């Protein structure tokens, strides 16, 4: 009779490519509704560049463009919120002065 001994197999797993984010929807929102100093539009441009680089299998450049788009989106959103609050306060002061 023959005996079967366990065999060792080794396999090489390919390194996973990090999934870079392009923030395209957030950039589109900022470009349409919250676009102080055109930061939302610039973020949209960087988001599209990031997506293009991701499709071209260049994850390092895609990640760099994605980080830039994220930073621009944060700046656009913060400036938009602060601008909206300032406008509301100024309108409230203006209407209060009209009633007096």
């Amino acid at each position: 009779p023959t005996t079967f001994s366990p065999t060792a197999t080794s396999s090489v797993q390919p390194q996973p490519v990090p999934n870079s984010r392009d923030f395209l929807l957030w950039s589109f929102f900022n470009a349409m509704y919250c676009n102080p100093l055109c930061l939302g539009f610039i973020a949209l441009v960087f988001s599209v560049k990031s997506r293009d680089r991701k499709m071209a299998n260049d994850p390092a450049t895609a990640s760099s463009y994605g980080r830039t788009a994220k930073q621009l989106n944060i700046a656009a959103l913060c400036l938009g919120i602060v601008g909206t609050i300032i406008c509301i306060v100024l309108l409230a002061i203006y209407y209060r002065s009209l009633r007096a």
Side-chain angles (χ1 to χ4, degrees):
T2 60
T3 60
F4 294 100
S5 62
T7 58
T9 60
S10 65
S11 63
V12 177
Q13 296 289 333
Q15 291 292 337
V17 175
N19 189 9
S20 61
R21 298 191 57 194
D22 54 19
F23 303 101
L24 189 63
L25 290 176
W26 188 13
S27 298
F28 185 74
F29 172 81
N30 281 338
M32 292 294 113
Y33 300 111
C34 188
N35 198 13
L37 306 174
C38 293
L39 290 177
F41 179 71
I42 297 168
L44 183 63
V45 169
F46 276 97
S47 293
V48 170
K49 284 183 173 187
S50 176
R51 181 157 292 184
D52 288 345
R53 290 288 88 204
K54 191 188 321 184
M55 293 300 160
N57 284 334
D58 186 4
T61 309
S63 178
S64 173
Y65 284 143
R67 279 192 308 273
T68 303
K70 179 181 177 183
Q71 293 165 351
L72 288 168
N73 279 322
I74 290 171
L77 189 62
C78 290
L79 287 175
I81 289 171
V82 168
T84 302
I85 291 171
I86 289 173
C87 285
I88 290 171
V89 168
L90 289 176
L91 283 173
I93 291 171
Y94 176 71
Y95 285 130
R96 179 178 281 178
S97 69
L98 286 179
R99 290 177 50 182

